[in-house]
Amino acid sequence: MDVLVIGGGPAGAVIASLLAMAGRDVMVVERDIHPRDHVGESLTPSTNTVFQRIGFLEKMEEAGFVHKPGACWTAPDAPVGKFLEIRLAEFPPPWAIQPYTYNVERDVFDAMLLRHAHELGAKVVQGARVQEVLFDADGRASGARVRVADGWEHDVTARFVVDASGRNCLLGTQLGLKKKDPSFNQFGIYSWFTGLAAPPAGTEGMLFLHFLGLERAWAWQIPLRNGVWSVGVVTDKADFREAGTSNEAFFASLVARNRTFAHVMAGAERIRPFSVEGDYSYVLDRVQGDGWLLIGDSLRFVDPIFSTGVDVAAFSALYGFEAIEAALAGGDEAGELARFETRLSDGVEAWYELIKLFYTLQNLFSSFAVRRRFRERVVRILQGNLYMPETLAQAREVIALMKDAAARVGEDADNLLRPGALRRSS
Ligand SMILES: Cc1cc2nc3c(=O)[nH]c(=O)nc-3n(C[C@H](O)[C@H](O)[C@H](O)COP(=O)(O)OP(=O)(O)OC[C@H]3O[C@@H](n4cnc5c(N)ncnc54)[C@H](O)[C@@H]3O)c2cc1C
């Protein structure tokens, strides 16, 4: 076999699709049996380009996933219904296919995408867990040990192993490469709801982000099909511990911190149990080696405030495919993999810097978005794909400007944009 892919989430399914389209013998081994629930429902516009490349965009449109034209922010003390709006098509990028992206139910979306890879020719084995990646005597990845449901184990050999096992980070953990991010200790709690107040006219399909008057907290409100909303809150773990209360009560206390959020959720009914995720930010020392590479969440996870997870999954799969394809075709494997690592790491690092700035000064970020001088650059970032040289350069420029502004704000004790000025006691 040419390539063994561990995990059939978006990253694994996209790389398997591309490899199958190129005529490669590829197998995806997926632990669960799809459809399976997953967090991460709001996509960036740039993912459209990858889904179009593998012939999947049409299927997304046919499935009737909610069109997402942009995002709105609300501040905790602002009057109900006052929000800041960013339309992603306000400054169309050269690669734009359509003026919107999608919000997707991940159980349906991931199952469709994995099936798509299969229809393109990838072998897909579900309900089978990879136990470990195998290496030959020279230290090159040579395959994996797979355990199927009845406990039977089988060694699969491949010329290349791709780890797309998500936050499970199978290979990164096996090789001791995974490091917890010391700057972020976030905690997410979320569920699906019906009965939310209708969004203001003109914002249908928009993702709403609600600030909560806490430095390290925010909430998402994502419209899905059939009147269902995905609603979740992210806070620093310390805030949750301090509250010392149940998930339900903690969630309600955060909803109450933002007037618009509280108004929208007043008649909401939860239709699923709460899910909780913690300790999810980490980095890996390296993301490729002899005969292997990591894609999607298995290569790094940064806070989801800018809906970047599936963006990283899709583009790391695309660039990973290009590196493997060049190597299998006889190119310089080490050079191709190193280029993959730089491209991905630079892009994800830019997201990370932006997220850190956002958490340092939430108000500052909003103030950039409303200023005409910076608005286009902020929109460009939210459109996704920071791995392209031009987008990366623009993002780095914004990061430098924001860092300068943050330093100035920090020096001025009366500045209302400074950290702490946001914090309310209840
Ligand atoms: C609170 C929160 C909110 C988020 N919101 C968003 C959002 O709005 N938008 C967005 O784009 N992203 C969001 N994300 C991130 C998003 O969930 C992920 O980035 C995305 O799912 C990554 O795709 P992936 O294919 O790398 O991993 P996954 O989707 O996790 O897929 C990995 C697959 O590997 C399988 N697997 C694991 N271990 C093994 C094994 N040993 N053997 C075989 N199979 C295995 C798993 O079963 C799984 O199906 C959010 C994340 C969190 C925590």
Side-chain angles (χ1 to χ4, degrees):
M1 179 189 321
D2 291 320
V3 184
L4 175 69
V5 180
I6 306 166
V14 168
I15 199 165
S17 298
L18 289 160
L19 286 161
M21 286 167 82
R24 294 291 172 193
D25 182 8
V26 51
M27 180 194 276
V28 181
V29 176
E30 164 58 47
R31 179 184 61 185
D32 291 337
I33 295 176
H34 286 236
R36 52 99 180 92
D37 290 339
H38 206 293
V39 69
E41 294 134 328
S42 190
L43 306 184
T44 57
S46 60
T47 55
N48 288 337
T49 61
V50 178
F51 294 133
Q52 188 187 47
R53 163 103 181 244
I54 61 169
F56 187 65
L57 196 61
E58 240 171 59
K59 291 185 180 175
M60 291 173 72
E61 193 61 32
E62 272 166 24
F65 290 123
V66 169
H67 291 179
K68 172 189 165 189
C72 302
W73 273 262
T74 74
D77 290 323
V80 170
K82 187 168 166 28
F83 55 89
L84 188 159
E85 173 185 321
I86 294 253
R87 278 194 180 265
L88 296 161
E90 199 175 321
F91 301 97
W95 44 259
I97 297 166
Q98 53 198 28
Y100 57 84
T101 176
Y102 301 89
N103 299 316
V104 297
E105 297 84 0
R106 286 288 302 273
D107 52 348
V108 177
F109 175 78
D110 287 16
M112 279 173 55
L113 193 52
L114 191 55
R115 172 178 286 273
H116 184 70
H118 176 59
E119 286 170 0
L120 289 171
K123 298 185 185 89
V124 175
V125 181
Q126 299 193 62
R129 173 193 285 266
V130 172
Q131 300 289 89
E132 62 173 314
V133 173
L134 304 172
F135 289 84
D136 65 19
D138 298 326
R140 181 178 174 86
S142 58
R145 180 152 302 151
V146 181
R147 177 190 282 249
V148 289
D150 62 3
W152 179 78
E153 283 189 357
H154 185 69
D155 289 353
V156 179
T157 52
R159 295 167 72 189
F160 234 97
V161 178
V162 173
D163 182 8
S165 65
R167 276 176 286 131
N168 201 22
C169 291
L170 180 95
L171 184 53
T173 308
Q174 181 181 330
L175 298 178
L177 302 172
K178 188 177 171 185
K179 305 274 177 298
K180 193 174 157 21
D181 182 339
S183 314
F184 287 103
N185 195 9
Q186 306 299 94
F187 165 93
I189 168 167
Y190 55 89
S191 188
W192 280 4
F193 296 81
T194 55
L196 271 70
T203 64
E204 294 80 6
M206 297 275 215
L207 155 76
F208 269 83
L209 294 179
H210 301 292
F211 294 159
L212 304 173
L214 289 166
E215 297 303 330
R216 291 190 169 255
W218 55 279
W220 76 76
Q221 180 200 323
I222 300 171
L224 300 171
R225 294 174 297 179
N226 307 314
V228 173
W229 294 79
S230 165
V231 184
V233 293
V234 169
T235 70
D236 198 281
K237 217 169 179 179
D239 282 320
F240 181 64
R241 258 188 252 118
E242 228 172 75
T245 175
S246 70
N247 288 341
E248 182 104 45
F250 182 60
F251 186 87
S253 73
L254 290 174
V255 171
R257 296 185 70 93
N258 176 303
R259 288 184 191 163
T260 299
F261 194 23
H263 166 76
V264 165
M265 293 295 288
E269 189 187 335
R270 185 160 53 80
I271 57 169
R272 281 183 162 190
F274 278 115
S275 297
V276 172
E277 314 255 352
D279 297 328
Y280 49 63
S281 296
Y282 52 79
V283 62
L284 283 99
D285 289 339
R286 57 188 304 208
V287 305
Q288 49 81 23
D290 199 4
W292 60 269
L293 60 77
L294 315 179
I295 58 172
D297 280 2
S298 78
L299 72 82
R300 184 169 185 179
F301 190 77
V302 298
D303 190 271
I305 177 82
F306 297 130
S307 304
T308 48
V310 176
D311 190 278
V312 174
F315 283 94
S316 58
L318 174 61
Y319 300 142
F321 158 72
E322 287 173 2
I324 292 175
E325 194 50 32
L328 289 177
D332 161 26
E333 180 179 309
E336 292 293 341
L337 291 181
R339 214 161 63 83
F340 162 83
E341 173 147 13
T342 309
R343 202 172 188 185
L344 255 298
S345 304
D346 286 357
V348 182
E349 185 61 26
W351 285 124
Y352 182 72
E353 286 289 324
L354 286 158
I355 291 163
K356 265 214 307 217
L357 277 162
F358 168 80
Y359 274 117
T360 313
L361 292 171
Q362 291 180 10
N363 286 343
L364 177 79
F365 205 90
S366 301
S367 79
F368 265 74
V370 292
R371 271 188 277 170
R372 187 182 287 194
R373 253 178 79 211
F374 300 118
R375 190 169 171 90
E376 178 174 352
R377 292 182 238 190
V378 172
V379 173
R380 288 265 176 267
I381 288 167
L382 298 178
Q383 285 166 342
N385 188 359
L386 297 192
Y387 332 96
M388 287 192 309
E390 319 82 72
T391 338
L392 180 61
Q394 277 174 345
R396 283 180 168 160
E397 214 181 304
V398 174
I399 290 166
L401 288 166
M402 284 187 178
K403 277 186 175 165
D404 276 358
R408 282 198 303 279
V409 167
E411 284 160 12
D412 176 1
D414 297 326
N415 197 313
L416 286 177
L417 296 179
R418 80 189 192 288
L422 264 172
R423 195 166 183 107
R424 292 194 293 132
S425 52
S426 61

